Amino acid sequence: MLLHSIKELRELRKNWRGLKVGLVPTMGALHEGHLSLIKKAKETCDKVVVSVFVNPIQFGPAEDYDKYPRTLDNDTVLCEKEGVDIVFAPTPDEMYGSGNRLSNDTLTYVCPPFFYVNKLCGKTRVGHFDGVCTVVLKLFNIVQPDYAFFGQKDAQQVVIVKKMVKDLNVPVEIIQCPIVREESGLALSSRNKYLSDEGKQKALALSKILNNIKSCYKRGITDIKGLKETAYNFLTEDYELEYLEILDKNTLEEQEYADNNSIVLIACRVENVRLIDNIYLED
Ligand code: AMP
């Protein structure tokens, strides 16, 4: 069932007392990556809500909010096929009130700690994780799920959401699901739609770099500088590398040497499309 209003969702939610409720927050343009989260939610929970909301406050002024793909009809069909109970697709006015200027001047925002935000995607996407945490906490308050499902694809996001849930005592368990990839290795993303065929070929460099670093680690190289240097064989001037980091996967702290808690994260632009990917050095 497709719902747009918070009130209707709350009404239906009242009938689910005593049942395990799962939430899968998305921005829509659903693909197999999203569907893997939905499948996991269906396995774990009695009732599943998928939210489809392109959240304006997590986009910077020069980012792709306006052109972000919106395919709600198709998303709803896919969710119905998976047995989703509610697709919740509010408008920005429904979420943030009509006439409100969308800023932390006028609205209450959730600000995750600087330590977690001032690195990786947060460094260039200033305010992004405030927007993410704000909308995610609002969705938690609206849906009141027992479990919420997030993809490792957005690894920094999962760490930050877990931290918010812990720090603010939100009664929900965060379940992280593995990255779904094309056979080529390219991590699925709604933004892959912006790439030409040639761009998709170029984008394979991200997963190749990650896999190469992992195989070097498996061969015994743990020096982080040395591991990072292996990436430069794959990156020509066509790629605008934004970051390549090897950090502790749970805390996002820097490490001197890679170990079984390490995650390698990369962001780069291909055809001006910002792509991110990551890999654990030990599964
Ligand atoms: P988005 O619609 O991009 O905000 O993504 C919604 C959720 O789907 C987030 O938790 C993402 O991490 C997750 N997700 C996106 N792409 C993938 C993927 N390729 N594999 C697994 N999860 C994904």
Side-chain angles (χ1 to χ4, degrees), residues 125-144:
R125 305 191 72 189
V126 175
H128 170 69
F129 289 110
D130 297 10
V132 169
C133 283
T134 303
V135 80
V136 167
L137 186 62
K138 282 168 74 74
L139 289 168
F140 287 169
N141 286 332
I142 294 165
V143 178
Q144 300 186 21

Side-chain angles (χ1 to χ4, degrees), residues 40 57 217 276:
K40 182 73 184 167
I57 71 168
Y217 170 76
I276 59 171

